[in-house]
Structure formats: structure tokens, C-alpha cells
Amino acid sequence: MNTGLWLELVLRSTLLLVCGQVLLSFLRRACPSLRHRFILFVFACLAALPALLILVPQMPLPLWHHDARSKSFVTVTEISSHISRDAPYRNIDWLLLCWAAGVVITAMPFVVGSLSIVRILRRAEPFTDGILLSDVIPVPLTCGLVKPRILLPMSAKAWTAATREAVLLHERAHIRRRDVLTHAVAHFVACLWWFQPLVWLLHRRLKAASEFACDAEALRSGIRPTDYASELLSIARNAAAFQVPASAIGMLQASHLEQRVRTVLYPSTASVSPMRLGCLALTLTFAALAASAFTTTSTTAYPTGGLTMKRALLSALLSSAGLSAASITGTVHDPNGAAVPDAVVTLTNADNSAQLQATTNTNGQFSVNGSGAGDYILRISKTGLNSVYYEFSLNARSEIDSEFTMPAEGTPAPDTPMASKPVQVEGADAQNNLIHKVNPTYPGAAKQNRVQGTVQIRALISKDGVPQELKILSSPSDELSESALFSVRQWRYRPTLVNGNPVEISTMVVVNYTLLP
């Protein structure tokens, strides 16, 4: 389950929405139509946030600093490798199911409201100029996504000409502004972000802003503000307990009535200069970019930089949407071949740090499911045994099954044979083919604890020159293991040719972490 991804979405969307609410306060005296458009812009930025998370490079915030002056030395020697076997597996992503259930639940009022409006329209009778009358609604409504319609209560037959004019001016303004469609889109965005409380507050402000904007348009037609306010109060007396369907727009809502009457009688005359409006829109745009780019993740722990976040977040989002999935199963043994129960298995996305976790059963078996395509680090740990680290790449819908042996504390990990033997090359040959090398960063925690030593990694290099499988054979600490894996997985080699054809190769990477005195 991509817990880290969902938490990240909550935090980043909070930054964007809080910024939007603050900027909206600068428009409190602007015309309602302008406030309505700005709220729609906030919704547009929120809808675009997942795409921005993929497209915008990650920019770490230097909230802390690790001393990087100590040097590490890397050499390459020969070793064999191992290709894991494929096996089918399925599991349940409970967070995904919870999100999907939330989307369905929050969308139900709109669906039910749409069905209710359909029933009302079928029973409505024509009145005049395409306007319909219904005996089940006490207030005027505007409904219809594709073809907006105006519904009036049956009591409209007895309305005065002034009341009818005030109502139609307001409802026709909703149609000209296409408020039914924009509210439906905003409701859909809110449903996708239902776990973010601030989005519902913004949704309420959008509805209120559309009513104020239509009131302002009605007043611009020449109707007197006192007459219009009087008509609002007159209609409100008949709409005390009526719940407007979510798919329609009602002319009156009790929560906004007092403020609407005050705004009608004392309209704001303040104007907003185009420059100020442009600055607010630009600020919100920068806020959206910042929400998708900045991270407090330590670059020491994740030295990959921001560009690889694109593929990682895309994989995670596709996985959460059920479009891309991978599963890993395996069996854990001790040095004597006995099953290791209750070992903690942690699968970490090497690009965005999202984690999935499982525990081995009594037979030493585990399964981790729901990962998107990308590079992952698998860690198996249990008290009394050395932790096992294994780095590999997952493709969409890939299914991996492997066996792991946990060595006793103080002994190196066994070098398991490969299912299909790759070509073995001398260390110098592999080093000569290395075209992109990322030097490891000395972890700050290891420096502070004066931990140093050698990390040995067995690496399988694909035909394209990309490290496909990395396994820690020996390491003085978990921090040094993670640092070495995060760096070596970014190395790139020229393809090794045998008889003119590219082949897989295996090699050893030895990372020496040495502290200067």
C-alpha cells in the first residue's frame, strides 16, 4: 500500500489550498464574478496537482545539512549474479479501496440529485419561454449539464411581474455563466480529493460566489436593489426546509441569505487592477508548482535528485488507479535452510520512498503487492540475523518470486547461483564500460556514529547497460547499505557485446566508506 504517496498528496494539496484561501482573502471586496473565477482557478490547480507531481522535478529543501567531506572509494571486481523466478500473485491495496469507496460515497449525492432532477423534469409542465413549473420544488432551480433548464415552483403562476423578473434575471445569469457545468466539474474534483477537508470548504465558497455573481448581474440589468432584496426574502419564506439536489443550483440557501441581502443592498464598489489580479494568479501558480516540487526528504538518504521522481510518482499513481501493478513473493531461510518466521519485509520505492511492508509466515513466506513499475529496495530483517538487502527493477504487471537466505550476525550473505548464467567480465572491463557513475554519499548518521567499512554488492547489468538486480553481500551497517544501493542503481554501462550481440553481465561493486581522521 502506497501510504507515503497518500500522505504526500494530503500535505501538498493542503499547501495549495491554504495558499488559495489566503489569496482569496485579497479579493473579498472584489466583484463576486471575479472571486468565482479565482476559486475555479484554485480547483484547476488542484486537479492538475497529480500531473505536476510527475512533470515538475523534485527540489529538496535544505532543512538540515549533513557533512559530506568524508570520501568514499568505489572499485569493481568480478562476481556471479542471480535472476529471480516469476510467479503469479495477487493482493489487495486497502488504501486504494478506501479511496475508491470515498469517491463513490461523495459522488452519490450528485448521482442521486441527478436522478431526482430527471424525475422532476418528467413531471414538470411548460410555463413560458422554455421555463418549466413543478409542484415538488418551493424555490427556483437551474439544472441540466448539456441543456440547462429553469424550474420554477407551481406558485410562480401567482407571482407578480417584479418577482418573476427578479427570479429569471438571476437564473438566466446561471445559464449564461454555465454554472451548472462548472459546479459539476468542481464537485468531481472534490470527490477525487475527498480525503482533503479543505476542498469541501472551497467547494462551498464556490457555490456561494456563484449566487453573489448572479445577484450582481441581475442588479446590473436595472432592477432596484431594495426591490431585489425584498423578492429574495419573499421567496425565502417558502424555502425554509427544502434541500436543493446536488446536481442543480437553487436560487436560495438559508446559510447565505443574510449575507446576500447585505451584499445586494450595500454592493462593493472596489475594483481590482489587472496587475493585482495577475500577481494573485501568478502567486497561486507558483504555489502549485512549489507544492509539487519541494520536499524535505534528505538528499543524503535519497541522492537520486528530482528528475527520477517523475517516473516514480507516475508509477505510484498508476498503481493506485489500478493501471499498473506488480507483486513480489518470496521465502526466507536461515543459514541452515530452516524457514524464518516473523521476519519484517520492507519494499521501498527508490525514487519517492513510498514503502510497502509484510511479515513472513510460519513457513517463511511473504507477499507484497500493489507496487508500480520502478526501482525498489527490498529489506528483510529479524533480530539475531543479518538484514538482507536486494535492489531490483519492476515493470508494470511483473510478478517476482525469490528465495532469500538470512546469514547469522557477523557473517556475509551467501551468493546464490543464478537461474540463467550471465557473462562474467573482469572488473577492469566493466569499469571501462561505465559511462555514468554516481558516487555514494556518506550517510550523516553513519558519520556521527563513526561507522565505516566496505559494502560489497553483486550487480546484474542488463543488455542495455542498466543495473537490474543489486544484492548486498556484506556491509557494516544498514545506512551504508542503503547509500551504496541508491548510488549504484543509477550507474549506466555501455552494452557488452559477444559475437556482436549485447549480453547480460555480472560484476561486483565494492564501496569503501572511510572516515578521515
Side-chain angles (χ1 to χ4, degrees):
M1 295 184 292
N2 293 317
T3 308
L5 171 66
W6 294 104
L7 179 60
E8 185 175 348
L9 289 175
V10 171
L11 296 177
R12 294 177 186 270
S13 60
T14 298
L15 173 62
L16 174 61
L17 291 174
V18 168
C19 181
Q21 297 281 7
V22 172
L23 294 176
L24 191 60
S25 66
F26 289 95
L27 297 174
R28 62 182 178 274
R29 302 192 63 184
C31 68
S33 180
L34 187 59
R35 293 200 304 271
H36 184 266
R37 288 197 296 269
F38 190 83
I39 296 175
L40 284 177
F41 185 52
V42 178
F43 269 103
C45 292
L46 182 63
L49 186 59
L52 292 177
L53 287 170
I54 299 167
L55 299 175
V56 178
Q58 186 184 26
M59 299 175 62
L61 289 174
L63 298 184
W64 55 81
H65 176 70
H66 294 295
D67 183 12
R69 290 176 295 179
S70 298
K71 296 180 180 179
S72 57
F73 304 94
V74 181
T75 58
V76 180
T77 56
E78 177 183 354
I79 196 172
S80 61
S81 187
H82 164 71
I83 297 178
S84 56
R85 303 185 304 276
D86 290 343
Y89 176 75
R90 291 292 177 190
N91 201 356
I92 298 175
D93 189 336
W94 292 107
L95 285 181
L96 171 61
L97 289 180
C98 181
W99 172 79
V103 172
V104 173
I105 292 172
T106 53
M108 283 305 296
F110 191 90
V111 175
V112 173
S114 298
L115 297 176
S116 176
I117 289 296
V118 169
R119 289 194 298 268
I120 293 174
L121 288 174
R122 287 177 179 175
R123 297 174 54 186
E125 62 180 58
F127 183 46
T128 179
D129 297 332
I131 300 169
L132 301 175
L133 295 178
S134 173
D135 57 356
V136 297
I137 60 171
V139 295
L141 300 179
T142 300
C143 57
L145 295 176
V146 180
K147 185 180 179 181
R149 309 289 292 274
I150 297 177
L151 277 170
L152 300 180
M154 200 63 70
S155 59
K157 293 180 179 180
W159 285 354
T160 64
T163 301
R164 191 177 305 159
E165 179 187 11
V167 169
L168 294 182
L169 285 172
H170 182 95
E171 299 303 325
R172 284 169 179 163
H174 277 307
I175 294 177
R176 285 193 303 272
R177 292 162 43 83
R178 299 184 179 179
D179 283 339
V180 178
L181 178 60
T182 56
H183 286 195
V185 173
H187 188 90
F188 175 73
V189 174
C191 290
L192 295 178
W193 291 87
W194 62 265
F195 51 89
Q196 171 55 263
L198 293 177
V199 74
W200 297 108
L201 175 61
L202 189 69
H203 188 252
R204 290 185 59 187
R205 299 190 71 172
L206 178 71
K207 288 186 173 182
S210 69
E211 296 301 322
F212 293 133
C214 290
D215 289 341
E217 285 200 26
L219 293 175
R220 282 196 294 270
S221 66
I223 189 172
R224 293 174 59 185
T226 53
D227 293 340
Y228 188 81
S230 177
E231 300 302 339
L232 285 178
L233 293 174
S234 176
I235 296 173
R237 284 193 290 267
N238 300 322
F242 179 68
Q243 183 67 37
V244 177
S247 60
I249 299 177
M251 184 175 177
L252 285 173
Q253 292 186 14
S255 58
H256 301 143
L257 181 59
E258 181 180 351
Q259 187 178 359
R260 285 178 63 184
V261 171
R262 187 183 302 113
T263 304
V264 167
L265 296 177
Y266 306 102
S268 174
T269 58
S271 61
V272 179
S273 65
M275 179 175 293
R276 182 180 183 184
L277 181 61
C279 288
L280 293 176
L282 189 61
T283 302
L284 183 62
T285 302
F286 280 133
L289 294 174
S292 60
F294 289 120
T295 178
T296 58
T297 300
S298 171
T299 56
T300 299
Y302 306 105
T304 60
L307 293 177
T308 53
M309 282 289 291
K310 300 177 183 180
R311 178 169 58 85
L313 283 171
L314 177 61
S315 299
L317 289 171
L318 290 177
S319 173
S320 295
L323 300 177
S324 172
S327 61
I328 301 94
T329 60
T331 304
V332 182
H333 302 281
D334 63 14
N336 298 321
V340 178
D342 301 322
V344 178
V345 181
T346 304
L347 184 68
T348 303
N349 187 300
D351 294 316
N352 66 2
S353 74
Q355 288 189 342
L356 305 172
Q357 200 168 76
T359 305
T360 56
N361 60 19
T362 55
N363 297 321
Q365 298 173 338
F366 70 89
S367 61
V368 183
N369 170 266
S371 310
D375 294 332
Y376 287 86
I377 293 177
L378 182 70
R379 178 190 179 189
I380 306 175
S381 59
K382 186 175 181 179
T383 304
L385 297 172
N386 271 357
S387 296
V388 173
Y389 281 88
Y390 190 66
E391 198 274 351
F392 54 91
S393 296
L394 287 179
N395 297 320
R397 301 293 180 186
S398 61
E399 296 165 340
I400 295 177
D401 183 33
S402 298
E403 293 189 3
F404 302 90
T405 300
M406 300 187 69
E409 284 186 329
T411 61
D415 188 10
T416 54
M418 298 185 57
S420 61
K421 199 78 169 179
V423 174
Q424 300 184 20
V425 298
E426 295 294 334
D429 294 335
Q431 186 79 340
N432 291 334
N433 285 334
L434 186 61
I435 58 178
H436 177 69
K437 179 179 179 180
V438 177
N439 288 323
T441 302
Y442 215 120
K447 286 184 180 182
Q448 185 176 2
N449 296 325
R450 303 295 298 175
V451 177
Q452 57 183 332
T454 299
V455 178
Q456 293 186 352
I457 302 175
R458 186 190 62 192
L460 171 66
I461 312 302
S462 71
K463 298 178 181 179
D464 299 325
V466 179
Q468 291 294 105
E469 295 182 2
L470 302 175
K471 182 178 180 180
I472 298 291
L473 298 180
S474 65
S475 174
S477 74
D478 291 346
E479 293 86 356
L480 298 186
S481 297
E482 292 180 1
S483 172
L485 286 177
F486 275 117
S487 299
V488 176
R489 73 181 185 83
Q490 300 176 79
W491 291 10
R492 296 296 181 266
Y493 295 80
R494 294 187 188 91
T496 299
L497 302 180
V498 175
N499 297 325
N501 298 317
V503 295
E504 292 181 340
I505 65 171
S506 65
T507 187
M508 166 89 81
V509 177
V510 179
V511 184
N512 294 312
Y513 291 88
T514 305
L515 290 172
L516 296 177

